[in-house]
Amino acid sequence: MLAGKYLKPKVVEVVEVPLPDVGDHEALIKIEACGFCGSDLGIVAGVHPRARAPLTLGHEFSGRIVEIRSSGSTLKAGDLVTAYPLISCGHCYVCRHGEPHVCRDLRLFGIDVDGGMAEYVKLPVSSLVLLPAQMPARIGALIEPLAVAVHGVSMSPIQQPQTAVVIGAGPIGLLTALVAKARGIPRVLISDIVPSRVDLARRLGLRAVMAGEALTKILMEETGGEGADVVFECAGAPSTAREMTALVRCRGVIVNLGVFKKPAEVDLQIVNFREITIVGSRVYSRHDFEEAVQLASVLPLERIVTHSFSLRQVEAAFELFRSGQNACKVLILPDGAPA
């Protein structure tokens, strides 16, 4: 079978690999759609702290079960599924206390072990999440990033916030804004420094403005100079680390979803004077995944997918995603046909 492999820094290629053998409590999945994310950029650049070549990329995917060996499972061949890709140790403090998504030694399919950017992938049955039979496979491949957004919005402790700001209109920022709206927050503003991303956010029905002075002006006008109840930081850039504290009201909350590649400067004086709460948000729980499956049917997710490629075009797909040329979510469709 074919697989999109990270072979060495700056090299990702399609290679022939053996079809996996399925053991007890495992399933073989025929992949129908698989997405790229920012972690894949770090892997292929050779700077991800855990990923090691050779590695089949992909932790955002959906497909159909073709073989399953698990007598206790209700899943069956032909079911459309996605994967809950977290691999937790089960022994550290948070695992023992019911929060395995922040496991001390957390690993993921597609980062620490082979993932789903291939024609087939073998997975533990326990990692499979059933999708509605009528769901397009390309939407199924968005459940993982949507779960990131669901978890992030859930991390704010503020009850009935009236105003939220989302910094960064990449896939996670767009999904976070959509989830925040779906949760009933009356005013949700999203910003970015890239005009095409702002335009895409508007096409999704979001209130989107360019980052910087335009965002600050509108926010302060609409909140009487107070600022947002909640700021969702979804860019992971040094500039947004500085910006986020200026946008949140006194005793407001900042939820950090963006993954910073290195420590960033944060204005702790403002945090101190305004009694701001900063909350980290990492990946998702199984419950977030299940909620994402339910939300997927009511959100305009198909518009987030801007490009799709066949598996044999994985190098071109990755280059487009890396370049950011008006690309939001880029999918690999192994069969090369709409999914």
Side-chain angles (χ1 to χ4, degrees):
M1 71 173 192
L2 297 177
K5 286 275 189 182
Y6 161 57
L7 298 178
K8 61 181 180 179
K10 300 182 181 179
V11 177
V12 56
E13 293 180 1
V14 179
V15 298
E16 287 276 359
V17 298
L19 188 71
D21 292 325
V22 177
D24 291 340
H25 311 296
E26 293 180 334
L28 184 66
I29 312 301
K30 186 179 189 300
I31 298 297
E32 295 193 4
C34 181
F36 285 103
C37 88
S39 296
D40 297 310
L41 292 177
I43 292 170
V44 177
V47 298
H48 194 283
R50 303 194 313 271
R52 297 290 179 267
L55 173 72
T56 300
L57 299 168
H59 58 277
E60 310 174 2
F61 54 86
S62 67
R64 295 195 180 274
I65 298 173
V66 295
E67 182 182 354
I68 183 167
R69 296 183 62 181
S70 179
S71 59
S73 175
T74 58
L75 295 170
K76 62 186 184 303
D79 282 343
L80 180 68
V81 295
T82 186
Y84 183 74
L86 307 189
I87 307 169
S88 304
C89 75
H91 306 295
C92 68
Y93 177 86
V94 287
C95 283
R96 296 196 312 270
H97 288 80
E99 304 291 346
H101 68 286
V102 283
C103 173
R104 181 183 62 196
D105 298 311
L106 187 68
R107 300 185 301 150
L108 280 83
F109 298 113
I111 294 178
D112 301 277
V113 296
D114 285 342
M117 197 163 288
E119 290 182 293
Y120 296 88
V121 65
K122 179 180 72 173
L123 295 169
V125 173
S126 60
S127 73
L128 300 180
V129 177
L130 180 66
L131 299 176
Q134 71 277 13
M135 178 179 285
R138 61 197 298 133
I139 301 303
L142 299 180
I143 297 300
E144 192 273 350
L146 180 57
V148 172
V150 168
H151 185 71
V153 174
S154 300
M155 289 300 291
S156 170
I158 292 181
Q159 299 297 313
Q160 297 182 325
Q162 298 300 297
T163 303
V165 167
V166 179
I167 304 175
I172 296 300
L174 292 170
L175 292 169
T176 298
L178 289 172
V179 172
K181 281 188 63 178
R183 290 275 184 87
I185 299 178
R187 287 191 297 266
V188 179
L189 282 168
I190 184 169
S191 69
D192 204 284
I193 60 173
V194 180
S196 62
R197 289 187 169 188
V198 173
D199 290 341
L200 176 56
R202 289 171 179 163
R203 293 197 300 274
L204 289 168
L206 298 169
R207 291 191 63 203
V209 297
M210 294 298 294
E213 293 181 4
L215 170 63
T216 303
K217 181 175 184 294
I218 291 173
L219 175 64
M220 294 307 170
E221 284 177 352
E222 296 191 359
T223 61
E226 298 289 352
D229 299 306
V230 186
V231 171
F232 297 102
E233 194 292 312
C234 299
S239 60
T240 62
R242 293 189 295 270
E243 180 185 23
M244 63 187 186
T245 51
L247 298 173
V248 68
R249 66 164 169 81
C250 288
R251 308 211 79 184
V253 173
I254 296 168
V255 180
N256 167 220
L257 290 87
V259 179
F260 287 83
K261 302 302 183 285
K262 58 183 178 180
E265 179 182 329
V266 177
D267 190 338
L268 292 180
Q269 185 182 65
I270 293 182
V271 172
N272 176 222
F273 284 7
R274 295 187 185 177
E275 292 194 343
I276 295 167
T277 298
I278 301 178
V279 181
S281 180
R282 187 183 186 191
V283 290
Y284 30 70
S285 68
R286 190 82 181 218
H287 175 75
D288 297 320
F289 237 71
E290 293 165 357
E291 184 174 340
V293 173
Q294 299 302 313
L295 270 178
S297 64
V298 299
L299 298 179
L301 301 185
E302 66 282 349
R303 299 179 190 173
I304 291 175
V305 179
T306 54
H307 299 81
S308 60
F309 294 80
S310 71
L311 186 54
R312 291 187 181 277
Q313 297 172 306
V314 68
E315 294 172 71
F318 182 81
E319 181 56 31
L320 175 73
F321 181 66
R322 187 196 63 77
S323 71
Q325 297 175 8
N326 298 326
C328 186
K329 181 56 68 177
V330 177
L331 293 184
I332 294 294
L333 310 177
D335 288 339

